[in-house]
């Protein structure tokens, strides 16, 4: 009887979800309310969790409640600690949710809300959450070891080394693209001044973090929460002070910089921040940014649920043909690499095989933490998409289209964007900039500012008042920048150790992580790596985000493909081939997407998409002695050609990495098929002691 | 459970979550573990424990999600 009621309940819920999804997918003409989208998302995610994740957990993987997890077996109170599953869930979610699920969907909004929504929902259910869950499961059965380690033991040392190089390349591109997001949010472009308010507020995070670091080290050691509250108050004060500074006729202009200057500051900062002790800057800022991030997500949810904005962006725009101004390339494959975090993100495989498996108290909880945690991230991505689509499309395109396409004045931007069918006047653009306390909103690509304006407008509907829009805008910018600076610092450090490790195989003294020479050389190499791409993005006439985000997307999805290939191999080695389709389906899709996207970025005849054809366009003109806009000299022309080749080489390397891991995966799978015993390298079964 | 007690337990839970999110696991659990498993060893003080965790989390940098 009870089962009957439950079945009826789920049936009714499924019909409700299908109805909401139907409204989202089929509604044309009048704008629809965000609540339809939110309801459809909640229904799809809940049903997927209840049925699909249960099927994977119980039938396909056979999670064993009696098997002791690493946290139980190796409990040391430090790294391995059996922890309440809700606490682990919160920890895991905080670790996977970053700037990615907030930026990708905003960029994808140029194709309308529908393609992004569908990819996030179907992607997460069939690919992203599956990946996070299976990798967590694998790591739980292997003493909480990392993805690279597990690949080495299941696919062989060569595959492991290739995966490591792949991870290093992703780090470099990630740091460059995130740095670019900050630069784009703050820099002046052409005749448009920069953002003194934003720049001042972001700069203030450095002394605040230093102060908090000293506080935590000497004044009140270990009082993290207390310090975070003080830091938060100081950050809010700096937002207010930023407004005062921006108004000031003397100080305001001193905080307005162009992209090149900001890029150099970022590079210098990244170098210094990653060689000084971690307690001084990195740790306190990470605490602040983590709490601020959770706060922002809650705020975004509150805004959307209470204000229930209408979506002004059409369901599908004409830019699905690949002619979009924000990023070039058609819906397939580029939508699927533009939204990575939120649908499927390879980076999560690193988190799921990082600290989380060392905390899980019972193997069966992997379903809730791995699969469920990723569903929550998808929901954040949906909310970011809503915030972007709730904006007037004209404002959205003015902020995200590069100056090379819409010009550098509000008049030219309004004219070009209106000609696309998104009617906007120069006055509306100026008015929006004024409301958020900025001199201009043009050319603020990179997601963060768009999300900030979207959130500011939605929140304004809740708490209105003089200057509230400006406050919310700069709060969102601060959150994004704080988060990104922390990533740059921590990422540079990771890159440095990886480089020391790699160089150490050639020249052993490089391996000494205590040595200052090794430290400085490897840090400089790492900073030079991402700094090069950052600077290239800043001087790129098409705005940089255009080029770098697809490269990053390809890299991230490539990592996901690697993780999923590994998951496939493990299932085969466990002799659970019957369920191979569960990881194989998303693996195939990701390999197809990354290889197609990588191929098009290399060889597409449209110079806006293909690196090589763009290089050829410039070198052909160079041969004829002509200058192509925006280059103003022969040297600039040559630099553009060179950069295109560098991007092409990188893209080819990504392709090589993913294809070779597929080959190694196939070899390992074939070998496993030849024996009739399970060959997965799990740590031996230890029974969970009854009520320990 | 009385209202006051449930507020207190919710606060404890939140505090534990807040700390774990930034890489500091429960100090109480650590001390309990040390007392039970290594009764001869002196557990670290909270301050030492905190520094130990800070170094473990950030010492080699952290690969974070995008």
């Amino acid at each position: 009887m009870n089962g009957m009621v439950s079945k009826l309940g789920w049936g009714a819920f499924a019909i409700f979800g299908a109805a909401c999804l139907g409204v989202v997918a089929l509604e044309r003409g009048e704008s629809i309310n965000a609540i339809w989208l939110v309801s459809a998302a909640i229904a799809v995610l809940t049903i997927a969790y209840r049925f699909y994740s249960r099927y994977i957990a119980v039938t396909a993987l056979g999670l064993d409640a009696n098997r002791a997890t690493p946290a139980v077996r190796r409990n040391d109170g430090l790294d391995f600690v059996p922890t309440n599953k809700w606490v682990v869930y919160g920890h895991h979610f905080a670790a996977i949710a970053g700037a990615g699920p907030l930026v990708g969907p905003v960029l994808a909004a140029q194709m309308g809300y529908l393609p992004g929504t569908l990819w996030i929902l179907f992607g997460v259910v069939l690919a992203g959450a599956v990946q996070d869950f299976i990798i967590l499961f694998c790591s739980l059965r292997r003493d909480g070891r990392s993805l690279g380690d597990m690949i080495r033991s299941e696919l062989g040392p060569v595959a492991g080394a290739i995966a490591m190089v792949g991870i290093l390349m992703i780090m470099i591109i990630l740091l460059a693209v995130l740095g670019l997001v900050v630069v784009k949010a703050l820099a002046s472009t052409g005749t448009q001044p920069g953002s003194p308010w934003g720049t001042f507020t972001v700069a203030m995070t450095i002394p605040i973090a230093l102060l908090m670091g000293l506080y935590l080290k000497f004044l009140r050691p270990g009082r993290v929460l207390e310090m975070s509250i003080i830091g938060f108050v100081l950050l809010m004060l700096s937002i207010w002070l930023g407004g005062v500074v921006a108004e000031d006729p003397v100080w305001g202009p001193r905080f307005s910089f162009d992209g090149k200057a900001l890029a150099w500051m970022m590079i210098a900062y990244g170098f210094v921040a990653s060689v000084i002790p971690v307690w001084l800057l990195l740790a306190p800022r990470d605490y602040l940014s983590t709490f601020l991030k959770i706060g922002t997500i809650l705020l975004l949810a509150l805004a959307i649920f209470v204000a229930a904005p209408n979506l002004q962006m059409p369901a599908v725009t004409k830019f699905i043909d690949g002619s979009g101004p924000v990023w070039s390339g058609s819906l397939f494959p580029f939508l699927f690499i533009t939204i990575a975090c939120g649908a499927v993100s390879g980076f999560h495989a690193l988190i799921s095989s990082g600290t989380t498996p060392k905390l899980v108290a019972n193997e069966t909880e992997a379903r809730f933490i791995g699969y469920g945690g990723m569903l929550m991230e998808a929901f954040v991505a949906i909310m970011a998409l809503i915030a972007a689509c709730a904006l007037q499309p004209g404002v959205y395109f003015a902020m995200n289209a590069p100056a090379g396409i819409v010009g550098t004045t509000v008049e030219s931007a309004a004219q070009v964007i209106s000609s696309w069918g998104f009617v906007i006047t120069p006055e509306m653009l100026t008015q929006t900039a004024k409301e958020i306390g900025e001199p201009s909103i043009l050319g603020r690509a990179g997601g963060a500012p768009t999300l900030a304006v979207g959130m500011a407008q939605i929140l304004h509907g809740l708490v209105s008042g003089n200057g509230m829009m400006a406050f919310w805008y700069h709060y969102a910018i601060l959150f994004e920048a704080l988060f990104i600076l922390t990533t740059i610092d921590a990422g540079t450090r990771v890159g440095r150790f990886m480089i020391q490790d790699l160089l150490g195989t050639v020249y052993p003294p490089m391996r000494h992580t205590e040595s200052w020479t090794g430290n400085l050389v490897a840090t400089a190499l790492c900073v030079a790596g991402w700094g090069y791409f950052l600077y290239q993005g800043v001087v790129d006439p098409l705005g940089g985000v255009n080029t770098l985000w697809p490269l990053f997307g390809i890299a991230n999805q490539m990592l996901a493909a690697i993780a999923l290939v590994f998951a496939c191999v493990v299932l085969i080695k466990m002799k659970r081939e019957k369920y191979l389709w569960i990881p194989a389906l998303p693996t195939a899709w990701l390999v197809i997407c990354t290889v197609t996207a990588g191929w098009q970025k290399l060889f597409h005849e449209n110079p806006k998409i293909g690196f090589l054809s763009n290089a050829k366009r410039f070198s052909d003109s160079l041969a004829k002695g002509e200058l192509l806009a925006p280059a103003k000299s022969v040297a600039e022309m040559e630099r553009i050609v060179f950069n295109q080749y560098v991007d092409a080489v990188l893209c080819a390397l990504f392709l090589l990495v993913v294809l070779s891991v597929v080959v190694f995966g196939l070899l390992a799978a074939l070998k496993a098929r030849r024996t009739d015993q399970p060959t997965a390298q799990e740590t031996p079964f230890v029974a969970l002691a009854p009520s320990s | 459970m009385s209202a006051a007690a449930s507020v207190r337990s919710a606060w404890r839970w939140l505090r534990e979550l807040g700390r774990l999110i930034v890489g500091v696991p429960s100090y109480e659990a650590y001390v309990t573990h040390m007392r039970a498993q290594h009764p001869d060893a002196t557990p670290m003080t909270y301050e030492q424990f905190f520094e130990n965790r800070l170094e473990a989390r950030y010492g080699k940098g952290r690969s974070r999600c995008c």
Side-chain angles (χ1 to χ4, degrees):
Chain A
M1 189 60 208
N2 226 344
M4 195 67 196
V5 173
S6 152
K7 271 192 191 121
L8 280 176
W10 281 104
F13 191 54
I15 294 171
F16 165 76
C20 292
L21 205 56
V23 171
V24 171
L26 302 174
E27 181 70 34
R28 292 289 181 276
E30 285 299 297
S31 66
I32 74 162
N33 193 281
I35 290 301
W36 288 105
L37 225 160
V38 170
S39 311
I42 292 176
V44 169
L45 300 181
T46 319
I47 290 172
Y49 181 75
R50 169 64 181 73
F51 294 100
Y52 191 45
S53 80
R54 191 184 142 94
Y55 173 73
I56 299 176
V58 176
T59 314
L61 299 179
L63 297 189
D64 186 350
N66 293 317
R67 193 188 185 106
T69 57
V72 174
R73 275 188 293 109
R74 306 187 48 182
N75 185 357
D76 60 2
L78 296 168
D79 290 311
F80 294 88
V81 189
T83 308
N84 174 293
K85 75 169 180 177
W86 290 92
V87 176
V88 184
Y89 182 91
H91 161 273
H92 184 70
F93 174 71
I96 61 172
L102 300 176
V103 176
V106 171
L107 297 178
Q110 77 160 339
M111 290 189 169
Y113 62 81
L114 189 57
T117 304
L118 292 180
W119 165 233
I120 292 172
L121 292 182
F122 287 97
V124 73
V125 166
L126 297 173
V130 173
Q131 172 204 256
D132 292 17
F133 180 20
I134 300 186
I135 298 299
L136 176 60
F137 162 78
C138 292
S139 184
L140 275 174
R141 290 240 171 138
R142 285 164 184 74
D143 258 351
R145 280 159 66 207
S146 70
L147 180 69
D149 239 18
M150 294 194 292
I151 291 182
R152 217 178 352 250
S153 66
E154 301 283 357
L155 271 76
V158 182
I162 293 175
M164 284 294 283
V165 173
I167 293 171
L168 179 64
M169 288 195 300
I170 298 170
M171 287 296 300
I172 299 233
I173 283 293
L174 170 72
L175 296 179
V177 83
L178 288 184
L180 190 64
V181 166
V182 176
V183 170
K184 285 278 152 193
L186 304 176
S188 61
T189 43
T191 54
Q192 304 288 330
S195 164
W197 189 339
T199 310
F200 175 82
T201 312
V202 172
M204 279 305 285
T205 62
I206 299 169
I208 292 175
L210 289 172
L211 200 67
M212 293 302 100
L214 293 168
Y215 181 90
L216 211 51
K217 180 85 175 172
F218 300 111
L219 271 177
R220 301 267 293 162
R223 302 284 179 266
V224 188
L225 300 184
E226 177 185 310
M227 178 229 90
S228 300
I229 293 167
I230 300 176
F232 178 77
V233 172
L234 290 177
L235 285 176
M236 294 304 110
L237 278 176
S238 75
I239 295 183
W240 166 79
L241 195 60
V244 178
V245 167
E247 292 280 306
D248 194 276
V250 180
W251 284 99
R254 287 187 190 172
F255 280 94
S256 171
F257 299 100
D258 67 357
K260 287 182 192 172
L262 285 169
W264 279 114
M265 284 183 229
M266 193 81 84
I267 290 167
Y269 168 80
F271 184 84
V272 174
S274 63
V275 294
I276 61 177
V278 285
W279 59 263
L280 186 56
L281 184 59
L282 173 56
R285 205 189 31 214
D286 186 44
Y287 301 153
L288 289 174
S289 85
T290 304
F291 294 129
L292 215 55
K293 175 175 75 187
I294 302 293
T296 308
I297 290 171
L298 291 177
L299 206 63
L300 181 63
L302 184 81
I304 287 174
F305 277 97
V306 179
N310 273 331
L311 301 181
Q312 309 214 35
M313 187 69 84
V316 178
T317 69
K318 62 173 179 169
F319 297 129
I320 50 170
D321 64 358
S323 61
V326 184
W327 42 276
S328 321
S330 48
L331 189 120
F332 175 81
F334 288 102
L335 174 75
F336 305 100
I337 56 162
T338 301
I339 303 183
C341 308
V344 49
S345 161
F347 253 88
H348 296 187
L350 302 182
I351 312 287
S352 298
S353 60
T355 45
T356 307
K358 302 188 176 96
L359 300 169
V360 178
N362 191 296
E363 200 173 275
T364 52
E365 291 165 4
R367 172 189 170 203
F368 173 61
I369 295 157
Y371 200 95
M374 181 60 195
L375 294 185
M376 187 57 91
E377 165 144 307
F379 193 68
V380 173
I382 291 280
M383 293 196 297
L385 189 70
I386 290 174
C389 292
L391 274 180
Q392 206 160 27
V395 173
Y396 171 84
F397 285 108
M399 294 187 74
N400 288 287
I405 296 178
V406 296
T408 54
T409 63
V410 280
E411 288 76 18
S412 68
Q415 196 214 332
V416 174
I417 293 165
S418 297
S419 77
W420 295 335
F422 303 106
V423 179
I424 189 94
T425 62
E427 292 73 36
M428 286 153 91
L429 293 176
T430 323
Q431 179 60 25
T432 308
K434 209 175 133 220
E435 279 170 3
I436 57 165
E438 284 290 303
S440 156
I441 58 164
L442 294 188
R444 296 262 176 256
T450 310
L451 186 71
V453 174
M455 270 179 76
Q457 288 196 348
I458 300 173
L459 287 168
H460 187 67
L462 292 182
V463 188
S464 53
N466 241 351
M468 275 322 269
M469 282 269 287
F471 181 85
W472 290 124
Y473 176 82
H474 291 95
Y475 172 86
I477 293 287
L478 172 76
F479 145 72
E480 193 94 21
L482 192 66
F483 181 82
I484 287 173
L485 289 181
T486 316
T487 306
I488 285 182
D489 180 342
T492 303
R493 234 174 255 270
V494 174
R496 170 199 142 194
F497 283 105
M498 281 179 156
I499 291 173
Q500 280 195 280
D501 212 37
L502 282 172
L503 290 180
T505 55
V506 190
Y507 180 62
M510 272 305 288
R511 235 186 221 143
H512 300 308
T513 46
E514 302 300 311
S515 122
W516 271 99
T517 330
N519 177 349
L520 292 178
V521 169
T523 305
L525 280 173
C526 184
V527 173
W530 62 257
Y532 171 79
F533 288 102
L534 168 62
Y535 193 79
Q536 180 194 329
V538 167
V539 297
D540 179 354
L542 283 172
V545 170
N546 233 314
T547 313
L548 282 180
W549 192 267
L551 264 181
F552 164 64
I554 291 173
N556 200 355
Q557 300 304 56
M558 170 195 86
L559 186 56
I562 293 175
L564 281 162
V565 165
F566 164 76
C568 291
V569 172
V570 168
L571 274 190
I572 294 174
K573 287 186 148 190
M574 290 173 78
K575 294 289 167 196
R576 288 180 176 268
E577 285 106 330
K578 229 171 102 186
Y579 310 106
L580 182 62
W581 61 272
I582 294 172
L585 197 77
T587 309
W589 177 244
L590 285 177
V591 170
I592 291 172
C593 281
T594 40
V595 170
T596 315
W599 190 261
Q600 290 195 5
K601 287 310 286 182
L602 277 175
F603 300 116
H604 204 285
E605 69 272 14
N606 180 352
K608 275 186 183 165
I609 300 175
F611 292 131
L612 293 179
S613 53
N614 200 21
K616 186 168 177 299
R617 192 168 77 99
F618 276 87
S619 52
D620 283 356
S621 303
L622 209 53
K624 280 186 266 173
E626 291 167 6
L627 289 183
L628 267 184
K632 295 187 188 72
S633 67
V634 172
E636 277 185 36
M637 293 279 287
E638 282 166 347
R639 196 178 57 209
I640 290 176
V641 173
F642 179 74
N643 286 342
Q644 296 296 320
Y645 281 121
V646 172
D647 291 347
V649 168
L650 197 70
C651 199
L653 280 174
F654 287 155
L655 284 179
L656 216 61
V657 167
V658 73
L659 290 174
S660 58
V661 171
V662 169
V663 170
F664 279 105
L666 283 174
L667 291 176
L670 287 175
K671 195 173 160 209
R673 299 265 306 185
R674 282 197 291 271
T675 57
D676 43 10
Q677 292 296 316
T679 45
Q681 317 261 328
E682 294 180 349
T683 36
F685 177 89
V686 175
L688 201 58
S691 70
S692 61
Chain B
M1 206 186 327
S2 74
S6 50
V7 166
R8 219 172 305 132
S9 98
W11 166 243
R12 263 221 307 279
W13 187 85
L14 265 180
R15 205 180 51 174
E16 189 185 341
L17 178 60
R19 287 209 181 121
L20 187 69
I21 282 179
V22 293
V24 185
S26 159
Y27 179 64
E28 289 80 22
Y30 161 75
V31 174
T32 316
H33 166 81
M34 288 302 280
R35 294 244 164 86
Q37 303 296 324
H38 312 279
D40 316 331
T42 324
M44 290 184 272
T45 63
Y46 176 71
E47 284 73 21
Q48 291 166 328
F49 174 79
F50 174 77
E51 277 201 22
N52 174 298
R53 291 297 85 203
L54 189 141
E55 195 48 43
R57 181 177 168 94
Y58 303 103
K60 287 215 158 192
R62 274 184 72 224
S63 34
R64 296 155 44 100
C65 188
C66 33

